[in-house]
């Protein structure tokens, strides 16, 4: 069972400012989904290795060469608050 | 060549033939599609953005090439207009992923599949509606508006590539690209009477595809027939150094498999796919189509995929876990929506995401964050990854006895809008047969096999071995020819169309 407190904690981890109503609904919906997912516990997977990718994938290397990157002005054109070639954000540090 | 309606009803390869014979110009074809969009998209709502100017320019360029270059060297889709799901980045053209959080995002680059489409001279008519971040099975989760099924405007077109499917089914585009994570190409293809292919993981570059679940996502075609799907696959397949998961192996000419006989080919029938929950009429029609394969000399073999009943549970842990990580980037810093009222950055992130994401996306981010969080990782995410190994083994065993696996694509025909929107588990069930293939990285294709008594399309799914799309095309083409199913052109009230600039 996932509790309302756990939902609050997970919402914080996921950086979601859920409304009270959403927290209530999320708690009940997540419980239903997790209950359905609990079905997997019936399977014995003791000696089964996990699959991250279902086709064999290895590291892919390329020469470490300087290449052209995207034009800065085009990239910053999407920024909500660009300033002198940077992305400006609200205060990060706690106030003293 | 005849009227606009006649032109837009043609398949991509039929249009290509007409263009090559110079019986119609690429500009005329593109104008016919733009007219069609204007006439019906107010009802269907397949498009989020119509790129009329770009399409017209591409059509003019195509006509120039038809006039100046030798016919043999011209790419097959030159002048044949297509549409893109709105999760593929297009330089200078808004790419929203069906989400309010990206309502104003204008990519500074093209996805590889978009580059290839442009290089092949296929005009792009626009960007198609979708479930937000490709999470959904009905396109009702779009952050903007739902799309209608052209065969019955009260019903859903499927999802998440519902806009792409509806556009092709309503003759608003000759072909389209979608993406498939748990069935998002094949399920809408089945609901809209189209051919839809999810290629093998790694067959098509995902550079510039907005990521949902990175170990599952693949781009693939939605088309009016099997030949078109093979042509589009020829266009988009191949290694791309900008996508490290794309696989470095030469791909065959997929059209070379069309017309090969299927005598002696072994078609596996998985008993776990013909279970309770599969609609009786769907079952009958799919079995009849499988019978048609037997009549062509294919050998039917009963196979077992014993872990099928665990597919949904596995998928709904793995996909949300990967999505919660992929969607962490939407924080209002570099692009997209930003909440303007927050005094500090963490509050800004939280409010931006709260305002920008819809309910299903939030639900999956929450579920995935929980499944990955300390204390629950082993029980949920790791467990699901281990079960994923069991799926792989199921298919490895089955493919010792058969060459393709045939089943219904979906348990039912297209359902009504609003029917499942408040019940996530019921909605997830409509993907029960399409989820196993991506978990095992296999290619899978849906091909129309019948219409229901109500006139709604029914799809047959073929699953194949890794990188064996060729056999899927071979069998699907044989079935298409044997059934001789004429694609129906749904009547859509015209008039209250979309303004096309």
């Amino acid at each position: 069972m996932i509790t309302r407190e756990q939902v609050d904690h997970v919402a914080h981890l996921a950086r979601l400012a859920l409304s009270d109503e959403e927290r209530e609904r999320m708690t009940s919906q997540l419980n239903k989904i997790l209950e359905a997912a609990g079905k997997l516990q019936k399977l014995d997977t003791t000696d089964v290795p996990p699959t991250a990718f279902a086709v064999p994938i290895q590291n892919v290397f390329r020469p470490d060469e300087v290449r052209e990157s995207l034009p800065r002005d085009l990239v910053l054109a999407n920024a909500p608050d660009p300033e002198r070639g940077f992305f400006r954000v609200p205060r990060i540090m706690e106030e003293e | 060549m005849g009227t606009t309606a006649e032109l837009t009803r043609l398949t991509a390869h039929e249009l290509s033939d007409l263009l090559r014979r110079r019986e119609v110009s690429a500009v005329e074809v593109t104008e016919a599609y733009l007219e069609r969009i204007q006439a019906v998209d107010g009802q269907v709502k397949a498009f989020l953005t119509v790129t009329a100017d770009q399409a017209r320019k591409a059509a003019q360029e195509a006509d120039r090439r038809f006039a100046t270059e030798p016919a043999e060297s011209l790419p097959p889709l030159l002048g044949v207009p297509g549409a893109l799901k709105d999760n593929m980045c297009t330089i200078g053209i808004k790419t929203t992923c069906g989400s309010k959080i990206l309502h104003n995002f204008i990519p500074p680059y093209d996805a590889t599949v978009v580059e290839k489409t442009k290089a092949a001279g296929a005009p792009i008519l626009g960007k198609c509606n979708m479930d937000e971040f490709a999470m959904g099975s009905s396109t009702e989760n779009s952050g903007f508006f739902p799309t209608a099924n052209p065969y019955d405007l009260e019903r859903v077109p499927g999802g998440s590539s519902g806009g792409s499917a509806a556009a092709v089914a309503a003759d608003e585009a000759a072909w389209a690209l979608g993406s498939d994570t748990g069935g998002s190409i094949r399920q809408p293809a089945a609901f809209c009477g189209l051919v839809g292919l999810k290629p093998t993981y790694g067959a098509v570059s995902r550079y510039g595809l907005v990521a949902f679940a990175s170990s599952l996502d693949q781009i693939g075609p939605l088309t009016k027939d099997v030949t078109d799907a093979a042509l589009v696959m020829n266009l988009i397949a191949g290694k791309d150094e900008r996508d490290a998961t794309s696989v470095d192996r030469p791909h065959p000419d997929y059209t070379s498999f069309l017309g090969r006989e299927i005598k002696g080919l072994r078609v596996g029938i998985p008993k776990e796919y013909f279970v309770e929950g599969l609609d009786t009429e769907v079952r009958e029609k799919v079995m009849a189509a499988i019978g048609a394969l037997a009549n062509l000399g294919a050998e039917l073999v009963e196979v077992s995929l014993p872990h099928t009943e665990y597919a949904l549970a596995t998928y709904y842990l793995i996909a949300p876990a990967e999505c919660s990580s992929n969607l962490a980037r939407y924080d209002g810093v570099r692009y997209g929506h930003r909440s303007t009222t927050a005094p500090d950055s963490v509050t800004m992130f939280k409010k931006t995401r709260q305002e920008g994401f819809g309910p299903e996306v939030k639900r999956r981010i929450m579920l995935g964050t929980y499944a990955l969080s300390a204390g629950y990782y082993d029980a949920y995410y790791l467990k699901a990854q281990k079960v994923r190994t069991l799926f792989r083994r199921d298919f490895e065993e089955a493919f010792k006895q058969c060459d393709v696996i045939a089943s219904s694509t979906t348990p039912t025909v297209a359902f009504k809008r609003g029917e499942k929107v408040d019940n996530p588990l019921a909605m997830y069930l409509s993907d029960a047969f399409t989820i196993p293939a991506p978990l095992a990285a296999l290619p899978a294709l849906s091909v129309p096999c019948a219409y229901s008594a109500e006139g709604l399309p029914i799809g047959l799914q073929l699953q194949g071995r890794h990188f064996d799309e060729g056999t899927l095309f071979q069998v699907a083409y044989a079935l298409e020819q044997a059934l001789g199913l004429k694609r129906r052109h749904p009547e859509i009230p015209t008039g209250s169309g979309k303004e096309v600039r």
Side-chain angles (χ1 to χ4, degrees), chain B residues 119-379:
Chain B
I124 296 168
L125 294 162
K127 309 291 297 285
C128 294
N129 198 18
M130 55 185 285
D131 287 299
E132 183 178 6
F133 285 101
M135 297 173 199
S137 314
S138 68
T139 316
E140 291 167 292
N141 294 339
S142 164
F144 303 102
F145 46 78
T147 295
N149 188 315
Y151 286 88
D152 177 350
L153 299 175
E154 300 293 305
R155 290 176 193 264
V156 303
S160 66
S161 312
S164 297
V168 178
D171 296 323
E172 296 177 67
W175 59 278
L177 293 182
S179 67
D180 191 313
T181 304
S184 282
I185 290 173
R186 292 161 287 152
Q187 186 251 25
F191 282 6
C192 291
L194 302 174
V195 176
L197 171 72
K198 183 208 87 76
T200 309
Y201 186 81
V204 177
S205 168
R206 299 178 300 166
Y207 176 74
L209 174 74
V210 178
F212 159 19
S214 299
S215 79
L216 302 162
D217 300 340
Q218 269 293 288
I219 295 172
L222 282 146
T223 58
K224 294 179 183 179
D225 71 3
V226 178
T227 306
D228 283 1
L231 285 172
V232 175
M233 228 357 233
N234 276 348
L235 171 69
I236 61 176
K239 168 75 184 165
D240 175 10
E241 68 162 19
R242 294 174 297 184
D243 174 3
T245 62
S246 69
V247 174
D248 193 4
R249 55 186 282 159
H251 71 82
D253 172 4
Y254 294 107
T255 62
S256 69
F257 294 88
L258 310 177
R260 290 192 197 173
E261 67 170 36
I262 60 163
K263 201 171 170 192
L265 206 120
R266 297 166 304 165
V267 176
I269 317 295
K271 57 175 186 239
E272 292 83 1
Y273 284 53
F274 293 86
V275 289
E276 205 185 326
L278 175 61
D279 177 82
T280 317
E281 189 183 13
V282 172
R283 179 199 187 100
E284 275 170 21
K285 304 280 189 191
V286 168
M287 285 315 293
I290 290 171
L293 293 175
N295 289 340
L296 293 170
E299 186 191 330
L300 305 186
V301 191
E302 183 171 296
V303 295
S304 176
L305 297 163
H307 294 96
T308 301
E309 63 170 302
Y310 300 97
L312 278 168
T314 307
Y315 178 84
Y316 279 100
L317 291 171
I318 289 176
E322 295 184 9
C323 112
S324 72
S325 163
N326 271 327
L327 271 58
R329 71 191 66 172
Y330 303 102
D331 55 10
V333 173
R334 288 151 300 162
Y335 41 69
H337 173 69
R338 175 190 288 193
S339 178
T340 50
T341 57
D344 63 87
S345 279
V346 172
T347 310
M348 186 276 278
F349 301 154
K350 287 184 174 180
K351 288 180 112 175
T352 293
R353 292 160 65 78
Q354 168 65 7
E355 292 162 11
F357 290 138
E360 179 65 22
V361 171
K362 287 180 194 169
R363 195 151 49 227
R364 294 207 200 178
I365 289 174
M366 289 290 291
L367 184 58
T369 305
Y370 179 71
L372 290 175
S373 64
Y376 300 97
Y377 180 89
D378 284 2

Side-chain angles (χ1 to χ4, degrees), chain B residues 403-446:
Chain B
D403 303 302
V404 291
I405 293 172
S407 68
S408 176
T409 308
T410 54
T412 64
V413 293
F415 46 88
K416 291 235 163 85
R417 201 153 54 232
E419 200 177 304
K420 305 185 187 212
V421 79
D422 292 324
N423 187 347
L425 278 174
M427 185 73 92
Y428 297 169
L429 274 175
S430 76
D431 300 329
F433 304 148
T434 50
I435 278 173
L439 285 175
L442 301 172
L445 176 149
S446 181

Side-chain angles (χ1 to χ4, degrees), chain B residues 12-67:
Chain B
H13 64 91
E14 286 165 347
L15 276 175
S16 178
D17 289 346
L18 284 183
L19 285 161
R20 248 145 240 274
R21 295 201 302 265
R22 312 287 303 276
E23 288 179 31
V24 65
S25 73
V27 168
E28 286 172 286
V29 172
T30 289
E31 288 301 336
Y33 276 105
L34 292 172
E35 260 178 53
R36 177 72 182 164
I37 293 168
Q38 177 133 16
V40 301
D41 207 54
Q43 308 283 332
V44 180
K45 295 174 180 289
F47 284 92
L48 286 168
T49 307
V50 178
T51 52
D53 289 345
Q54 279 207 3
R56 286 185 176 117
K57 282 197 191 101
Q60 285 161 9
E61 171 61 15
D63 280 333
R64 195 194 57 74
R65 292 181 69 180
F66 280 119

Side-chain angles (χ1 to χ4, degrees), chain A residues 1-2 6-7 10-19 22 25-26 29-30 32-34 36-37 39-55 57 60 62 67 70-71 74-75 78-81 87-92, chain B residues 104-106 108-109 201 214-215 241 244 307 309-310 313-314 317 332-336 338 343-346 348-350 353-354 357 362-363 365-367 369-370 376 379-380 382-390 392-393 424-425 439-441 466:
Chain A
M1 277 292 283
I2 181 166
Q6 283 173 306
V7 165
V10 173
H12 169 68
L13 292 177
R15 300 290 186 261
L16 285 168
L18 299 180
S19 69
E22 280 176 310
R25 199 171 50 224
M26 199 73 84
Q29 286 178 336
L30 288 185
K32 280 188 195 138
I33 297 169
L34 288 169
K39 190 176 185 174
L40 297 190
Q41 306 307 329
K42 287 195 295 185
L43 288 170
D44 180 8
T45 50
T46 318
D47 295 317
V48 181
T51 294
F53 289 90
V55 283
I57 285 189
V60 179
R62 68 165 175 83
R67 296 186 183 185
L70 294 169
L74 217 54
V75 174
N78 277 299
D81 190 8
F87 300 103
R88 218 163 81 106
V89 293
R91 178 167 58 77
I92 300 169
Chain B
N104 55 358
F105 175 59
I106 298 179
Y109 65 96
Y201 186 81
S214 299
S215 79
E241 68 162 19
H307 294 96
E309 63 170 302
Y310 300 97
T314 307
L317 291 171
V333 173
R334 288 151 300 162
Y335 41 69
R338 175 190 288 193
D344 63 87
S345 279
V346 172
M348 186 276 278
F349 301 154
K350 287 184 174 180
R353 292 160 65 78
Q354 168 65 7
F357 290 138
K362 287 180 194 169
R363 195 151 49 227
I365 289 174
M366 289 290 291
L367 184 58
T369 305
Y370 179 71
Y376 300 97
Y380 290 113
L382 189 63
K383 182 77 183 183
Q385 284 195 317
K386 288 179 172 180
V387 178
R388 195 170 177 183
T389 304
L390 301 178
R392 258 178 44 204
R393 290 179 182 169
L425 278 174
L439 285 175
H466 288 144

